Amino acid sequence: QVQLVESGGGLVQAGGSLRLSCAASGRTFSSNDMGWFRQAPGKEREFVASISRSVGRTSYADSVKGRFTISRDNAKNTVYLQMNSLKPEDTAVYYCAAGTGWVGVDNSYNFRPVYWGQGTQVTVSS
């Protein structure tokens, strides 16, 4: 089991920045790939970013590429999501996830979530 607790959400104006944190406990943090997902009202949960457990390989949704950065600190059992140039359409509940990753035949990095945090609200005003 892995327990995940997100923090850092809040209200920010368009163009601003936020950094989300996700503290993990339970199974060895460094043995898990980690990811961030989000769910806006009335919409399905969608992938935002992921990072592999060792070499730090990352993957991003097209909608956040160039604006968001995922990172991890295995010594602190924490994964981060730095969000810059925020837009109103980034408004959602953001969820941290721990899971497994693999490299596809096309050399793409893929992530499958297994454990979820409770989520943190991010609201971007226009």
Side-chain angles (χ1 to χ4, degrees), residues 48-93:
V48 175
S50 59
I51 186 167
S52 63
R53 62 187 179 274
S54 56
V55 298
R57 184 161 182 169
T58 59
S59 180
Y60 295 93
D62 288 343
S63 59
V64 307
K65 280 182 182 176
R67 301 188 298 122
F68 291 10
T69 302
I70 188 171
S71 61
R72 65 189 295 161
D73 186 337
N74 288 343
K76 295 183 178 180
N77 287 1
T78 301
V79 62
Y80 304 97
L81 185 68
Q82 178 67 44
M83 306 185 294
N84 298 328
S85 302
L86 283 162
K87 305 175 181 179
E89 51 263 44
D90 294 318
T91 295
V93 177

Side-chain angles (χ1 to χ4, degrees), residues 10-18 83 86-87 91 122-126:
L11 174 64
V12 64
Q13 288 188 333
S17 298
L18 281 175
M83 306 185 294
L86 283 162
K87 305 175 181 179
T91 295
V122 171
T123 302
V124 184
S125 63
S126 57

Side-chain angles (χ1 to χ4, degrees), residues 9-61:
L11 174 64
V12 64
Q13 288 188 333
S17 298
L18 281 175
R19 188 176 81 155
L20 304 183
S21 300
C22 173
S25 60
R27 283 186 59 192
T28 303
F29 175 76
S30 59
S31 68
N32 286 279
D33 288 42
M34 301 296 296
W36 287 94
F37 291 72
R38 66 187 182 186
Q39 187 167 19
K43 294 187 177 181
E44 294 187 353
R45 191 172 299 188
E46 64 176 3
F47 169 78
V48 175
S50 59
I51 186 167
S52 63
R53 62 187 179 274
S54 56
V55 298
R57 184 161 182 169
T58 59
S59 180
Y60 295 93

